[in-house]
Structures are given as structure tokens and as C-alpha cells.
Amino acid sequence: MANPSSRETLKQYALRRLGKPVIEINVDNDQLEDRIDEALQFYAQFHYEGIRRTYLKYKLTQADKDRLKNPTQSSETATDGASGVQSTWYEQNSYLTVPSTIISVQNIFSFSDKANLNMFDVRYQLRLNDLYDFASTSIINYDMVLRHLDFLDQILVGQKLLRFQQHDNRLYIDMDWTNDLKVDEYLIIDCYRKLDPATYTNIYNDLWLKRYVTALFKKQWGQNLSKFDGVTMLGNVTLNGTKLMQEAQVDIEALEKEIRETFEVGPAIMVG
């Protein structure tokens, strides 16, 4: 099947590219599964087709509110080797746990009420009184006023600072948890999320991924055979697993260079 749609069909596709069933591929099934896991991880980390930019919302609960208002503290003591002076450092565990599929958090939606446009809002009154006729009214003043309001919002409200690392699944938001967000209000984040191949099965048919999995299988095959290098088989055939492994390594390096130069999302965009 030239169009894999599952782990098994991808595995069989790569084995056929290496010569199965004409040639016996001396690789254990667990080794093949490990190589597929490596390939999928590398694909999700560096290929823009393996992730999706999305928006996730979280409803703050009373339990969250209580925990974040009075967070527990972790401590670490550092000792100077020369003088023996000790310093104890504390870190507040004021974080929210995010799904493990999140690889980068870009931003948090503003907590201000500028998305709400009621009759008492200054922008509502501006539009009502000054923009009654777009054909005869210049919008330059309107644009300047909106820019000024946005500037005031940045000065008086500002952006909430966040810290996120992919491997601990913790989103730290540096803000006043007592007053900035109320119970049952929503926190919305702008983030990048890994696509699950089990759900989006077209990932298994990605051209780059098929070639990469094949190269990893070939390298594993070469590693398994390398301990028999120089052994002469029936028909005066000599095994050379090292050469097979070296050829696969060249393919792997070329594919990894291709994905970083062609398919990777800019590092500046992915910083979380």
C-alpha cells in the first residue's frame, strides 16, 4: 500500500522499500516501533504540517483560585564552595497545567473589556456621533483615537507575562490571581499544538515522513548486521552492515537538514 494510513501500514511500506519480502530485513518489531516513535516525534517538533496553531480556553475554578492565591513554594539552597555561605531561594508554584500536546504558548488574550462594545463605551459613542456617514467623514481622526485608546490600554492594563516549557506542561502567568481573573471566567491562550496521527491519519502518508522512517529502519538494520561484518555466507556472500548503516546515516542527515531548512516554523515564532 503506497498510501499509508496507520502505523502498521507505514511500517510495511518502509520495509517494502528496503526489499521485503524479497530480502529478509533483520530488525525486531519492537525496534521498528521505536524508530516510528522517533520519526513522529521529530516530525511534530520541526515540520509545520505536524502542528496547528489554535486557541484553547480554560475556565478558572474556585479550587484554582484558592491554590493560586496562596501558592505552595519550592525551595533550593545554594552553598558557596569557598566561604560556605548558604542562600535559600524560593519559587511559587503558581501555574496551570496544560495538555501534553501543547509545544508552545504564544500569547494570552487580553483581560481588558475592550472587546465589549456597549452604549457607554467611548468607542461606541465615537462611532455613533462621528461616523454617521463614511462617504463624507474622514476616518483619520477615528483611527488616531483608536490608536490612543489602545496605547492607554497597554499602559494601564498591559500584557500578562507568561512562562512555558514543553516538558513540564506548566503555564506560569505572572499576574495578580486575586483580582485579575474571577471564578468561572475564561483564560484563552494562543498556542501551537501537536497533531495526533491516530486522529489525523494523513500524517502517515507524508512524503518526508515515509522517507525518514525508511532511513531509520535502514540504519537499524545496518546496526543489527554490523556485528557480522566480514562473515562469509553461502554463495561466497560477505555481510557488510557497517556500509548499510553509513548509507542510512547520510540519508538521515540529508532529510533532517531538509526539514529544518524547508518545513520548520521560524524559531522566533515558536518561542513559548
Side-chain angles (χ1 to χ4, degrees), residues 6 20-21 29 31 48 87 96 101 122 134 139 143 182 186 196 204 214 222 225 228 232 271:
S6 66
K20 184 183 177 180
N29 186 67
Q31 292 178 317
Y48 63 78
S87 301
L96 295 174
T101 55
V122 63
F134 279 100
I139 64 171
D143 179 71
K182 299 178 181 178
Y186 284 95
D196 183 5
Y204 293 115
T214 302
L225 292 179
F228 300 111
T232 302
V271 171

PDB file of all heavy atoms in Angstrom, residues 6 20-21 29 31 48 87 96 101 122 134 139 143 182 186 196 204 214 222 225 228 232 271:
ATOM      1  N   SER A   6      -1.827   4.313   8.721  1.00  0.00           N
ATOM      2  CA  SER A   6      -1.698   3.875  10.106  1.00  0.00           C
ATOM      3  C   SER A   6      -0.235   3.537  10.375  1.00  0.00           C
ATOM      4  O   SER A   6       0.586   3.488   9.449  1.00  0.00           O
ATOM      5  CB  SER A   6      -2.575   2.649  10.372  1.00  0.00           C
ATOM      6  OG  SER A   6      -2.117   1.535   9.623  1.00  0.00           O
ATOM      7  N   LYS A  20      11.758  -6.018   1.435  1.00  0.00           N
ATOM      8  CA  LYS A  20      10.860  -7.080   1.880  1.00  0.00           C
ATOM      9  C   LYS A  20       9.740  -7.277   0.857  1.00  0.00           C
ATOM     10  O   LYS A  20       9.234  -6.288   0.327  1.00  0.00           O
ATOM     11  CB  LYS A  20      10.272  -6.703   3.242  1.00  0.00           C
ATOM     12  CG  LYS A  20       9.395  -7.787   3.854  1.00  0.00           C
ATOM     13  CD  LYS A  20       8.789  -7.324   5.180  1.00  0.00           C
ATOM     14  CE  LYS A  20       7.862  -8.405   5.725  1.00  0.00           C
ATOM     15  NZ  LYS A  20       7.244  -8.017   7.013  1.00  0.00           N
ATOM     16  N   PRO A  21       9.325  -8.516   0.559  1.00  0.00           N
ATOM     17  CA  PRO A  21       9.745  -9.800   1.129  1.00  0.00           C
ATOM     18  C   PRO A  21      10.859 -10.491   0.358  1.00  0.00           C
ATOM     19  O   PRO A  21      11.233 -11.599   0.681  1.00  0.00           O
ATOM     20  CB  PRO A  21       8.460 -10.619   1.056  1.00  0.00           C
ATOM     21  CG  PRO A  21       7.815 -10.133  -0.198  1.00  0.00           C
ATOM     22  CD  PRO A  21       8.134  -8.675  -0.303  1.00  0.00           C
ATOM     23  N   ASN A  29      10.494  -6.286  15.656  1.00  0.00           N
ATOM     24  CA  ASN A  29       9.315  -5.413  15.561  1.00  0.00           C
ATOM     25  C   ASN A  29       9.356  -4.287  16.595  1.00  0.00           C
ATOM     26  O   ASN A  29       8.929  -3.156  16.310  1.00  0.00           O
ATOM     27  CB  ASN A  29       8.041  -6.239  15.745  1.00  0.00           C
ATOM     28  CG  ASN A  29       6.794  -5.416  15.515  1.00  0.00           C
ATOM     29  OD1 ASN A  29       6.508  -4.968  14.406  1.00  0.00           O
ATOM     30  ND2 ASN A  29       6.015  -5.186  16.567  1.00  0.00           N
ATOM     31  N   GLN A  31      11.998  -2.805  17.676  1.00  0.00           N
ATOM     32  CA  GLN A  31      12.927  -1.808  17.148  1.00  0.00           C
ATOM     33  C   GLN A  31      12.244  -0.934  16.098  1.00  0.00           C
ATOM     34  O   GLN A  31      12.454   0.283  16.051  1.00  0.00           O
ATOM     35  CB  GLN A  31      14.151  -2.504  16.548  1.00  0.00           C
ATOM     36  CG  GLN A  31      15.035  -3.202  17.574  1.00  0.00           C
ATOM     37  CD  GLN A  31      16.204  -3.929  16.930  1.00  0.00           C
ATOM     38  OE1 GLN A  31      16.044  -4.601  15.907  1.00  0.00           O
ATOM     39  NE2 GLN A  31      17.382  -3.794  17.532  1.00  0.00           N
ATOM     40  N   TYR A  48       6.038  21.915   9.940  1.00  0.00           N
ATOM     41  CA  TYR A  48       4.849  22.747  10.189  1.00  0.00           C
ATOM     42  C   TYR A  48       3.550  22.006   9.923  1.00  0.00           C
ATOM     43  O   TYR A  48       2.483  22.415  10.400  1.00  0.00           O
ATOM     44  CB  TYR A  48       4.901  24.027   9.349  1.00  0.00           C
ATOM     45  CG  TYR A  48       4.881  23.835   7.844  1.00  0.00           C
ATOM     46  CD1 TYR A  48       3.697  23.544   7.174  1.00  0.00           C
ATOM     47  CD2 TYR A  48       6.041  23.966   7.089  1.00  0.00           C
ATOM     48  CE1 TYR A  48       3.674  23.373   5.799  1.00  0.00           C
ATOM     49  CE2 TYR A  48       6.034  23.806   5.723  1.00  0.00           C
ATOM     50  CZ  TYR A  48       4.850  23.513   5.077  1.00  0.00           C
ATOM     51  OH  TYR A  48       4.839  23.345   3.715  1.00  0.00           O
ATOM     52  N   SER A  87      22.496  30.302  50.761  1.00  0.00           N
ATOM     53  CA  SER A  87      21.354  31.145  50.387  1.00  0.00           C
ATOM     54  C   SER A  87      20.217  30.229  49.974  1.00  0.00           C
ATOM     55  O   SER A  87      20.417  29.303  49.174  1.00  0.00           O
ATOM     56  CB  SER A  87      21.710  32.099  49.241  1.00  0.00           C
ATOM     57  OG  SER A  87      22.784  32.943  49.599  1.00  0.00           O
ATOM     58  N   LEU A  96      -0.747  26.787  35.796  1.00  0.00           N
ATOM     59  CA  LEU A  96      -1.843  25.950  35.318  1.00  0.00           C
ATOM     60  C   LEU A  96      -1.254  24.835  34.474  1.00  0.00           C
ATOM     61  O   LEU A  96      -0.304  25.058  33.711  1.00  0.00           O
ATOM     62  CB  LEU A  96      -2.832  26.775  34.481  1.00  0.00           C
ATOM     63  CG  LEU A  96      -3.603  27.877  35.213  1.00  0.00           C
ATOM     64  CD1 LEU A  96      -4.419  28.698  34.225  1.00  0.00           C
ATOM     65  CD2 LEU A  96      -4.510  27.292  36.286  1.00  0.00           C
ATOM     66  N   THR A 101       0.077  17.850  24.580  1.00  0.00           N
ATOM     67  CA  THR A 101       0.230  18.084  23.143  1.00  0.00           C
ATOM     68  C   THR A 101       0.649  19.513  22.822  1.00  0.00           C
ATOM     69  O   THR A 101       1.021  19.802  21.679  1.00  0.00           O
ATOM     70  CB  THR A 101      -1.083  17.772  22.407  1.00  0.00           C
ATOM     71  OG1 THR A 101      -2.154  18.539  22.996  1.00  0.00           O
ATOM     72  CG2 THR A 101      -1.421  16.292  22.494  1.00  0.00           C
ATOM     73  N   VAL A 122     -16.537  54.428  25.082  1.00  0.00           N
ATOM     74  CA  VAL A 122     -16.129  55.625  24.349  1.00  0.00           C
ATOM     75  C   VAL A 122     -16.059  55.365  22.843  1.00  0.00           C
ATOM     76  O   VAL A 122     -16.357  56.244  22.026  1.00  0.00           O
ATOM     77  CB  VAL A 122     -14.772  56.142  24.884  1.00  0.00           C
ATOM     78  CG1 VAL A 122     -13.678  55.107  24.660  1.00  0.00           C
ATOM     79  CG2 VAL A 122     -14.399  57.463  24.237  1.00  0.00           C
ATOM     80  N   PHE A 134     -19.824  57.537   6.286  1.00  0.00           N
ATOM     81  CA  PHE A 134     -18.457  57.235   5.837  1.00  0.00           C
ATOM     82  C   PHE A 134     -18.109  57.959   4.544  1.00  0.00           C
ATOM     83  O   PHE A 134     -16.947  58.156   4.233  1.00  0.00           O
ATOM     84  CB  PHE A 134     -18.293  55.724   5.625  1.00  0.00           C
ATOM     85  CG  PHE A 134     -18.043  54.977   6.901  1.00  0.00           C
ATOM     86  CD1 PHE A 134     -19.068  54.303   7.530  1.00  0.00           C
ATOM     87  CD2 PHE A 134     -16.784  54.958   7.477  1.00  0.00           C
ATOM     88  CE1 PHE A 134     -18.842  53.609   8.707  1.00  0.00           C
ATOM     89  CE2 PHE A 134     -16.544  54.264   8.654  1.00  0.00           C
ATOM     90  CZ  PHE A 134     -17.585  53.591   9.271  1.00  0.00           C
ATOM     91  N   ILE A 139     -11.809  59.208   8.246  1.00  0.00           N
ATOM     92  CA  ILE A 139     -11.626  58.251   9.340  1.00  0.00           C
ATOM     93  C   ILE A 139     -10.240  58.385   9.972  1.00  0.00           C
ATOM     94  O   ILE A 139      -9.865  57.583  10.820  1.00  0.00           O
ATOM     95  CB  ILE A 139     -11.824  56.801   8.854  1.00  0.00           C
ATOM     96  CG1 ILE A 139     -10.740  56.416   7.822  1.00  0.00           C
ATOM     97  CG2 ILE A 139     -13.226  56.591   8.303  1.00  0.00           C
ATOM     98  CD1 ILE A 139     -10.747  54.951   7.475  1.00  0.00           C
ATOM     99  N   ASP A 143      -9.147  56.724  13.467  1.00  0.00           N
ATOM    100  CA  ASP A 143      -8.017  55.806  13.583  1.00  0.00           C
ATOM    101  C   ASP A 143      -7.048  56.276  14.664  1.00  0.00           C
ATOM    102  O   ASP A 143      -6.545  55.462  15.467  1.00  0.00           O
ATOM    103  CB  ASP A 143      -7.303  55.698  12.237  1.00  0.00           C
ATOM    104  CG  ASP A 143      -6.097  54.777  12.291  1.00  0.00           C
ATOM    105  OD1 ASP A 143      -6.286  53.557  12.402  1.00  0.00           O
ATOM    106  OD2 ASP A 143      -4.964  55.290  12.233  1.00  0.00           O
ATOM    107  N   LYS A 182     -11.626  36.285  37.735  1.00  0.00           N
ATOM    108  CA  LYS A 182     -12.614  35.800  38.693  1.00  0.00           C
ATOM    109  C   LYS A 182     -12.975  34.347  38.416  1.00  0.00           C
ATOM    110  O   LYS A 182     -12.745  33.832  37.316  1.00  0.00           O
ATOM    111  CB  LYS A 182     -13.872  36.668  38.630  1.00  0.00           C
ATOM    112  CG  LYS A 182     -13.637  38.130  38.977  1.00  0.00           C
ATOM    113  CD  LYS A 182     -14.921  38.927  38.854  1.00  0.00           C
ATOM    114  CE  LYS A 182     -14.675  40.406  39.177  1.00  0.00           C
ATOM    115  NZ  LYS A 182     -15.913  41.219  39.023  1.00  0.00           N
ATOM    116  N   TYR A 186     -12.995  32.903  31.809  1.00  0.00           N
ATOM    117  CA  TYR A 186     -12.174  32.081  30.930  1.00  0.00           C
ATOM    118  C   TYR A 186     -10.825  32.733  30.652  1.00  0.00           C
ATOM    119  O   TYR A 186     -10.728  33.950  30.459  1.00  0.00           O
ATOM    120  CB  TYR A 186     -12.888  31.825  29.607  1.00  0.00           C
ATOM    121  CG  TYR A 186     -13.994  30.795  29.709  1.00  0.00           C
ATOM    122  CD1 TYR A 186     -15.320  31.183  29.908  1.00  0.00           C
ATOM    123  CD2 TYR A 186     -13.720  29.438  29.615  1.00  0.00           C
ATOM    124  CE1 TYR A 186     -16.337  30.248  30.006  1.00  0.00           C
ATOM    125  CE2 TYR A 186     -14.725  28.490  29.705  1.00  0.00           C
ATOM    126  CZ  TYR A 186     -16.025  28.897  29.894  1.00  0.00           C
ATOM    127  OH  TYR A 186     -17.024  27.965  29.995  1.00  0.00           O
ATOM    128  N   ASP A 196      -2.353  14.654  16.443  1.00  0.00           N
ATOM    129  CA  ASP A 196      -2.304  13.240  16.802  1.00  0.00           C
ATOM    130  C   ASP A 196      -2.445  12.401  15.530  1.00  0.00           C
ATOM    131  O   ASP A 196      -3.490  12.434  14.882  1.00  0.00           O
ATOM    132  CB  ASP A 196      -3.431  12.908  17.771  1.00  0.00           C
ATOM    133  CG  ASP A 196      -3.385  11.459  18.246  1.00  0.00           C
ATOM    134  OD1 ASP A 196      -2.423  10.749  17.892  1.00  0.00           O
ATOM    135  OD2 ASP A 196      -4.317  11.045  18.966  1.00  0.00           O
ATOM    136  N   TYR A 204       0.633   9.916   8.270  1.00  0.00           N
ATOM    137  CA  TYR A 204       1.411   8.719   7.916  1.00  0.00           C
ATOM    138  C   TYR A 204       1.769   8.682   6.440  1.00  0.00           C
ATOM    139  O   TYR A 204       2.697   7.975   6.039  1.00  0.00           O
ATOM    140  CB  TYR A 204       0.633   7.459   8.283  1.00  0.00           C
ATOM    141  CG  TYR A 204       0.455   7.248   9.764  1.00  0.00           C
ATOM    142  CD1 TYR A 204      -0.803   7.284  10.351  1.00  0.00           C
ATOM    143  CD2 TYR A 204       1.555   7.017  10.582  1.00  0.00           C
ATOM    144  CE1 TYR A 204      -0.966   7.083  11.719  1.00  0.00           C
ATOM    145  CE2 TYR A 204       1.404   6.826  11.948  1.00  0.00           C
ATOM    146  CZ  TYR A 204       0.133   6.857  12.512  1.00  0.00           C
ATOM    147  OH  TYR A 204      -0.014   6.675  13.854  1.00  0.00           O
ATOM    148  N   THR A 214      11.907   5.156   6.548  1.00  0.00           N
ATOM    149  CA  THR A 214      12.680   4.171   5.786  1.00  0.00           C
ATOM    150  C   THR A 214      14.167   4.267   6.116  1.00  0.00           C
ATOM    151  O   THR A 214      14.844   3.249   6.304  1.00  0.00           O
ATOM    152  CB  THR A 214      12.462   4.370   4.283  1.00  0.00           C
ATOM    153  OG1 THR A 214      11.069   4.259   3.972  1.00  0.00           O
ATOM    154  CG2 THR A 214      13.230   3.328   3.478  1.00  0.00           C
ATOM    155  N   GLY A 222      21.267  -1.960   9.538  1.00  0.00           N
ATOM    156  CA  GLY A 222      22.726  -1.972   9.441  1.00  0.00           C
ATOM    157  C   GLY A 222      23.391  -2.183  10.785  1.00  0.00           C
ATOM    158  O   GLY A 222      24.395  -2.907  10.886  1.00  0.00           O
ATOM    159  N   LEU A 225      23.246  -5.815  11.726  1.00  0.00           N
ATOM    160  CA  LEU A 225      24.112  -6.687  10.923  1.00  0.00           C
ATOM    161  C   LEU A 225      25.597  -6.390  11.119  1.00  0.00           C
ATOM    162  O   LEU A 225      26.445  -7.200  10.727  1.00  0.00           O
ATOM    163  CB  LEU A 225      23.776  -6.539   9.432  1.00  0.00           C
ATOM    164  CG  LEU A 225      22.410  -7.055   8.969  1.00  0.00           C
ATOM    165  CD1 LEU A 225      22.232  -6.795   7.480  1.00  0.00           C
ATOM    166  CD2 LEU A 225      22.255  -8.543   9.265  1.00  0.00           C
ATOM    167  N   PHE A 228      28.213  -8.824  12.351  1.00  0.00           N
ATOM    168  CA  PHE A 228      28.581  -9.952  11.488  1.00  0.00           C
ATOM    169  C   PHE A 228      29.453  -9.508  10.308  1.00  0.00           C
ATOM    170  O   PHE A 228      29.596 -10.241   9.331  1.00  0.00           O
ATOM    171  CB  PHE A 228      27.325 -10.637  10.940  1.00  0.00           C
ATOM    172  CG  PHE A 228      26.422 -11.191  12.011  1.00  0.00           C
ATOM    173  CD1 PHE A 228      25.174 -10.624  12.246  1.00  0.00           C
ATOM    174  CD2 PHE A 228      26.816 -12.254  12.784  1.00  0.00           C
ATOM    175  CE1 PHE A 228      24.337 -11.128  13.224  1.00  0.00           C
ATOM    176  CE2 PHE A 228      25.991 -12.776  13.774  1.00  0.00           C
ATOM    177  CZ  PHE A 228      24.750 -12.203  13.994  1.00  0.00           C
ATOM    178  N   THR A 232      31.480 -14.628   5.900  1.00  0.00           N
ATOM    179  CA  THR A 232      31.160 -15.107   4.564  1.00  0.00           C
ATOM    180  C   THR A 232      30.022 -16.119   4.642  1.00  0.00           C
ATOM    181  O   THR A 232      30.095 -17.103   5.377  1.00  0.00           O
ATOM    182  CB  THR A 232      32.383 -15.760   3.903  1.00  0.00           C
ATOM    183  OG1 THR A 232      33.456 -14.810   3.857  1.00  0.00           O
ATOM    184  CG2 THR A 232      32.050 -16.212   2.498  1.00  0.00           C
ATOM    185  N   VAL A 271       8.852  30.316  20.097  1.00  0.00           N
ATOM    186  CA  VAL A 271       9.303  30.505  21.474  1.00  0.00           C
ATOM    187  C   VAL A 271       8.097  30.626  22.385  1.00  0.00           C
ATOM    188  O   VAL A 271       7.197  31.409  22.151  1.00  0.00           O
ATOM    189  CB  VAL A 271      10.200  31.750  21.587  1.00  0.00           C
ATOM    190  CG1 VAL A 271      10.471  32.066  23.044  1.00  0.00           C
ATOM    191  CG2 VAL A 271      11.508  31.527  20.848  1.00  0.00           C
TER     192      VAL A 271
END
